[in-house]
Amino acid sequence: MRKPSTAVKTIWGVTVNAPATALPAVVIGAGPTGLAAAAHLTGRGMETLVLEAGPAAGTAVREWGHVRLFSTWSELVDPAAEKLLSPTGWTTPDGGTCPSGADWAEKYLQPLADVLGDRVRYGTTVTGVSRLGRDRIVDADREQQPFTVRTRSADGTEARILARAVIDASGTWSTPSPIGADGLPALGEHAASARVSYRIPDLKDPAVRARYAGKRTAVIGSGASAFTALASLADVAKDEPGTHSVWILRRGISGSTFGGGTADQLPARGALGLAAKAAVDAGHADAVTGFRTEVIEPGADDSLTLVAEDGRRLDPVDEVIVLTGLRPDLSFLSELRLGLDERLQAPTELAPLIDPNQHSCGTVYPHGHRELSHPEQGVYLVGMKSYGRAPTFLAMTGYEQVRSVTAALAGDIESADRVELTLPETGVCGGAGLFDTPATAETDGGGCCAPEPSLVQIGTAAPAGTAAAEEPAPAGGCCA
């Protein structure tokens, strides 16, 4: 069957596609969720175009390719994608193992993108999305107009693509959160940028290892990425004298600080927290609690001193690793009418289900096209971007999101509404968890999903027989 044709013309150096028949659904981002969306759209016979800013599929995933995920292969392959791949002779990796980011990209994402062929366009950055001839102010015939997707290619060429729908799966990787607890960069953060990193370092790379070996490093953050960095630096400390971490937490230490441990239904995720605790217990890292960085002061010897809002000053450090979360880039969507929660920057119907002010766990109720919809019909934010600033996103969440969204776009509302999602529990939920004092049974009846766990002791060796004592945690799990 011949594909619908698209006439192309150039106006003042800008390429514009003028559809002769059907318009494609444009997917922004060729990462796990974006490619899954394309697989579902293709499976329903819908014209699809995936726009990827990088040179290959899973460009962002490749940037943390050294990190091992805490989800297994069985949870990382979308069913519609597998259906496309199977006729090519592609073999599903061992479902019980946890791949690295590099494995995920090379063994699954790139083969999937290759099957999709010219439906995936690389080196194409989306710079704006709107309605044809309508800015966000205009009501007249708005929903009858196609979307306009403005792009810029690697050589600077601009183009405008017309689309019937837009699925933004561009993620949050490019916009890490800064050091400041108020959401703004700490004073001096930009000036110290040469000594500040916002990524988990690849300490198997000799050049990167040399940057941290024998040095004193501040690690700021309290999630799986921070756990991974602490455990990795502790491994370096065993061979490189003088290597030490200062773990900076904005909250106090509680039972939820190190995750669910052996109670986590994703064992590799639970092991990360145990490994971070082991790093503290072994003396490779010092935990500093209730510290909200306000200023980074440079020293004469190229060291950095972190100063808290309450005036506390830490001993100088050589490097700073900031792992305080990610946030969505909404700048290119400014002409669309989006319904976003004022706190999380997530769709308003989804936000209450994932609000970290209420949930300190990774449990989220099943949700699909209805929770992901906006006043601007036909546009969806999916994948990690749908969570806004909330953490604990899992790949299988994104896969179910796009299954529902694409069914809705195809007019199959019965299937779109039939949303089923069961996520592995973290083994810990103390209710509200964004400030100093975790919620307790006395204050709010316990957590939203499980009883508040007992407090964790730090500064002592891990008991024999625990996962932390017996074997190191897999180094990874930042995103899925």
Side-chain angles (χ1 to χ4, degrees):
M1 181 177 177
R2 185 180 179 184
K3 295 181 180 180
S5 62
T6 299
V8 178
K9 57 183 178 180
T10 301
I11 303 174
W12 295 100
V14 177
T15 302
V16 180
N17 73 320
T21 53
L23 293 174
V26 167
V27 179
I28 305 175
T33 307
L35 290 174
H40 281 275
L41 289 166
T42 300
R44 288 183 171 274
M46 299 172 65
E47 287 296 310
T48 307
L49 178 61
V50 181
L51 304 177
E52 167 58 45
T59 297
V61 173
R62 294 171 191 272
E63 291 190 16
W64 50 267
H66 59 288
V67 178
R68 189 165 299 282
L69 290 91
F70 46 66
S71 292
T72 62
W73 271 115
S74 64
E75 298 155 333
L76 296 171
V77 175
D78 176 78
E82 186 172 12
K83 187 175 181 179
L84 281 182
L85 285 165
S86 293
T88 69
W90 181 80
T91 303
T92 307
D94 182 358
T97 61
C98 297
S100 66
D103 288 339
W104 200 18
E106 289 299 329
K107 296 180 180 180
Y108 168 64
L109 299 178
Q110 193 60 57
L112 176 55
D114 292 344
V115 169
L116 290 167
D118 59 7
R119 297 183 183 91
V120 181
R121 187 178 300 176
Y122 301 110
T124 305
T125 300
V126 174
T127 59
V129 182
S130 188
R131 290 279 190 180
L132 181 64
R134 307 288 189 273
D135 62 20
R136 66 180 297 154
I137 299 174
V138 179
D139 292 333
D141 297 326
R142 184 176 190 85
E143 293 182 3
Q144 283 67 53
Q145 306 306 314
F147 290 98
T148 59
V149 182
R150 183 67 61 86
T151 67
R152 183 179 61 249
S153 62
D155 64 3
T157 301
E158 292 183 296
R160 188 180 72 178
I161 299 168
L162 300 183
R164 59 167 294 188
V166 175
I167 300 176
D168 184 357
S170 59
T172 56
W173 178 252
S174 63
T175 46
S177 295
I179 291 174
D182 55 6
L184 303 175
L187 298 176
E189 183 171 342
H190 292 311
S193 60
R195 313 299 292 277
V196 178
S197 172
Y198 301 86
R199 311 300 188 197
I200 300 171
D202 181 3
L203 296 175
K204 293 183 179 180
D205 183 323
V208 176
R209 186 182 180 91
R211 176 175 175 174
Y212 297 98
K215 305 291 182 61
R216 181 177 168 86
T217 300
V219 177
I220 306 175
S222 58
S225 294
F227 294 163
T228 302
L230 289 167
S232 298
L233 288 167
D235 286 340
V236 174
K238 296 172 185 176
D239 301 322
E240 301 285 352
T243 305
H244 194 78
S245 300
V246 182
W247 184 21
I248 299 175
L249 299 102
R250 294 170 180 171
R251 295 181 288 160
I253 296 286
S254 75
S256 63
T257 298
F258 297 97
T262 55
D264 195 318
Q265 292 181 358
L266 287 177
R269 180 172 59 187
L272 287 173
L274 294 175
K277 182 179 182 299
V280 176
D281 290 341
H284 298 309
D286 297 322
V288 180
T289 61
F291 194 96
R292 297 182 176 85
T293 309
E294 183 177 39
V295 181
I296 299 180
E297 294 181 352
D301 56 353
D302 287 334
S303 65
L304 300 172
T305 298
L306 276 60
V307 183
E309 293 174 354
D310 60 10
R312 282 184 292 166
R313 301 171 65 88
L314 299 182
D315 290 338
V317 298
D318 302 294
E319 299 286 343
V320 179
I321 299 175
V322 186
L323 300 169
T324 54
L326 304 163
R327 55 183 59 177
D329 177 9
L330 301 169
S331 60
F332 60 88
L333 303 176
S334 62
E335 291 304 316
L336 295 176
R337 298 176 177 180
L338 301 181
L340 298 174
D341 180 77
E342 67 274 9
R343 296 163 300 168
L344 300 186
Q345 296 178 300
T348 52
E349 295 299 318
L350 174 61
L353 308 181
I354 58 175
D355 187 352
N357 290 288
Q358 303 298 323
H359 304 280
S360 60
C361 65
T363 301
V364 59
Y365 293 105
H367 62 278
H369 73 110
R370 295 193 184 276
E371 291 81 6
L372 296 169
S373 64
H374 295 274
E376 194 81 73
Q377 295 184 19
V379 61
Y380 298 92
L381 276 59
V382 299
M384 288 191 71
K385 192 163 187 174
S386 71
Y387 269 40
R389 299 194 184 194
T392 68
F393 182 82
L394 292 174
M396 63 183 80
T397 303
Y399 295 161
E400 181 62 7
Q401 286 179 341
V402 297
R403 186 205 61 77
S404 174
V405 164
T406 55
L409 291 175
D412 186 356
I413 302 303
E414 179 182 357
S415 177
D417 285 342
R418 192 174 60 248
V419 180
E420 298 178 0
L421 179 67
T422 301
L423 296 178
E425 295 182 2
T426 63
V428 57
C429 186
L434 286 184
F435 224 69
D436 294 324
T437 306
T440 64
E442 287 75 20
T443 59
D444 71 351
C448 60
C449 307
E452 171 73 5
S454 59
L455 293 179
V456 171
Q457 298 294 320
I458 64 171
T460 58
T466 66
E470 293 174 353
E471 60 182 359
C478 69
C479 300

